Amino acid sequence: MSYSTADSLPRVTLDDVRGAQKMLTGVARMTAMEGSRYLSQLVGAPVHFKCENLQRTGSFKLRGAYVRIAGLLPEERAAGVVAASAGNHAQGVALASSLLGVRSTVFMPTGAPLPKVAATRDYGAEVRLHGQVVDETLAAAQEYAAETGAVFIHPFDHPDIIAGQGTVGLEILEQCPEVRTIVVGIGGGGLAAGIAVAVKALRPDVRIIGVQAAGAAAYPPSLAAGRPVSIDNPATMADGIKVGRPGDVPFRIVRELVDEVRTVSESHLSSALLLCLERAKLVVEPAGASPVAALLSEPGTFEGPVVALLSGGNVDPLLMQRILRHGMAASGRYLAVTLRLTDRPGALATLLGVLSVADANVLDVSHVRTDPRLGLTEVEVELHLETKGPEHCAEVGRALREAGYTVID
């Protein structure tokens, strides 16, 4: 890696990314590029998915982890490596270490989803559960590195990591040479920085747009300040991009080469995940669906052809269930209502009959008689309904009111 005369931070070059690509031959797959007819119609230009959710370990993270560990000196390899992650980086480090014959220890939060913990162990790492949040886990991993001499493998703030992730950019240019816009999710910034290095060196006309969850958007204030700044308590369902501070090395690259950073809402994230599942038959985690969320939120602002990078597909099944329900609600296909009715035999059956005529599918019914807010002869019913869209939701509401029911919620 070369160094800037302006500061001591290492620079990442196109040659570095090309070297990483050679190193990854036979290790990382060239993942598929799939067209999206629905998004193409919405955007008014061709839209393609770059499917890193189908990469080995289920995300792009293997690329950077392998390049970083492969570049270690023999004595460093002998000491082993250590990482901290809630999922994707953990699995990337575990598999890369196993392929290179290096001992790996991965610290994960105690609440990490069991499938991710099991997958990390299956890839060959020793897993240690520590801390409730990733910051605590990270501190434990760094303490372990200081005590044992193991090399700490940072998830994004290292030039080798960035070069490895940049190989995605080279593949995009090869698979879609006519691309005009690349949309990529940003957490710490390693993936966006690597892609920007590769793509801007070869095609400076291509526009690169980064996407962050609105509740965990550290890049907009950092770019405004001209330096990485921390945000307090980042909160989003997209744990893969829930990072409170940009990395120093990727930040400089993003500031210089990424054209724009946008934010998306939780509703658009869940709608994007649902769209990927239903329309493209692709399982994508919320962070991986963030570029799709950006396309959904402002479809008319992208010059095509557009490549949306689906960065990962490792999502806990229980979280997926909640997100899909959230996505259905955001798209008007899920309705929760609360109403009160007289507590008499057949009252609930009558209510369900009204819903049946309105063609609403009842998913769940909660029947409460003991709430102190209720009168002696009242019962409160909470209904969770599957509907066909916003217009159908309105029709169901009208049917209930016309039948004499007062909707509370």
Side-chain angles (χ1 to χ4, degrees):
M1 304 296 168
S2 59
Y3 283 76
S4 166
T5 57
D7 53 51
S8 60
L9 291 176
R11 288 199 177 274
V12 184
T13 68
L14 176 61
D15 286 341
D16 296 325
V17 180
R18 283 175 166 162
Q21 188 176 45
K22 291 179 181 178
M23 194 179 295
L24 288 167
T25 301
V27 176
R29 303 186 180 111
M30 177 183 279
T31 50
M33 185 83 73
E34 300 285 347
S36 172
R37 180 178 300 178
Y38 176 82
L39 284 175
S40 296
Q41 292 175 341
L42 189 67
V43 172
V47 175
H48 306 278
F49 293 147
K50 174 61 172 168
C51 300
E52 280 295 288
N53 58 311
L54 303 179
Q55 184 59 261
R56 297 177 70 180
T57 73
S59 87
F60 70 95
K61 288 288 191 178
L62 171 65
R63 297 173 184 263
Y66 188 91
V67 173
R68 173 76 173 101
I69 297 169
L72 296 178
L73 298 172
E75 57 269 26
E76 291 175 319
R77 290 195 188 195
V81 299
V82 61
S85 169
N88 289 348
H89 182 58
Q91 293 173 65
V93 168
L95 178 57
S97 299
S98 294
L99 293 172
L100 292 164
V102 177
R103 184 178 71 258
S104 64
T105 303
V106 176
F107 285 76
M108 303 182 76
T110 55
L114 293 179
K116 293 186 178 183
V117 174
T120 303
R121 287 195 175 114
D122 288 344
Y123 286 127
E126 176 190 347
V127 174
R128 299 192 180 191
L129 300 177
H130 184 93
Q132 297 297 319
V133 295
V134 174
D135 285 345
E136 296 173 355
T137 308
L138 182 64
Q142 291 172 325
E143 183 179 345
Y144 176 89
E147 291 175 352
T148 65
V151 178
F152 178 68
I153 307 299
H154 199 283
F156 50 82
D157 202 9
H158 192 279
D160 289 344
I161 295 286
I162 293 169
Q165 321 304 29
T167 60
V168 179
L170 295 180
E171 291 182 12
I172 289 173
L173 294 183
E174 179 179 346
Q175 293 172 296
C176 186
E178 69 278 14
V179 64
R180 297 292 299 171
T181 305
I182 297 172
V183 191
V184 54
I186 296 186
L191 177 61
I195 289 174
V197 166
V199 171
K200 289 293 189 178
L202 296 169
R203 287 279 308 281
D205 60 301
V206 173
R207 186 170 176 80
I208 299 175
I209 298 177
V211 183
Q212 292 206 289
Y219 263 90
S222 296
L223 292 169
R227 58 179 175 79
V229 298
S230 299
I231 58 171
D232 295 328
N233 304 315
T236 175
M237 69 175 76
D239 59 348
I241 54 174
K242 189 171 72 172
V243 177
R245 181 187 184 277
D248 292 327
V249 180
F251 173 78
R252 186 181 60 188
I253 297 171
V254 170
R255 183 182 61 186
E256 293 177 357
L257 299 179
V258 171
D259 296 282
E260 183 184 356
V261 176
R262 301 184 182 187
T263 62
V264 293
S265 68
E266 298 296 286
S267 292
H268 278 121
L269 282 169
S270 56
S271 295
L273 188 146
L274 183 62
L275 184 148
C276 289
L277 186 63
E278 287 192 325
R279 299 275 183 162
K281 314 307 179 204
L282 291 168
V283 175
V284 182
E285 62 190 274
S290 58
V292 179
L295 293 171
L296 290 174
S297 63
E298 296 181 278
T301 61
F302 296 87
E303 181 183 0
V306 178
V307 172
L309 178 55
L310 309 182
S311 59
N314 293 318
V315 57
D316 178 57
L318 294 177
L319 176 62
M320 171 73 89
Q321 185 179 33
R322 294 198 299 271
I323 292 172
L324 289 179
R325 184 165 288 189
H326 188 269
M328 290 176 68
S331 61
R333 294 167 50 197
Y334 177 84
L335 180 64
V337 295
T338 302
L339 41 82
R340 291 177 186 171
L341 55 151
T342 303
D343 189 11
R344 58 177 175 76
L348 181 58
T350 301
L351 170 61
L352 296 178
V354 172
L355 295 171
S356 176
V357 172
D359 203 22
N361 185 31
V362 178
L363 300 175
D364 191 29
V365 178
S366 176
H367 206 235
V368 178
R369 288 187 172 90
T370 57
D371 193 302
R373 296 173 302 166
L374 297 175
L376 186 63
T377 61
E378 285 185 319
V379 61
E380 188 170 274
V381 177
E382 182 180 350
L383 297 158
H384 296 261
L385 310 171
E386 182 182 1
T387 57
K388 300 173 184 177
E391 291 183 2
H392 190 209
C393 286
E395 291 173 7
V396 171
R398 282 196 298 271
L400 289 170
R401 288 190 295 274
E402 288 172 1
Y405 296 103
T406 300
V407 178
I408 299 171
D409 240 2

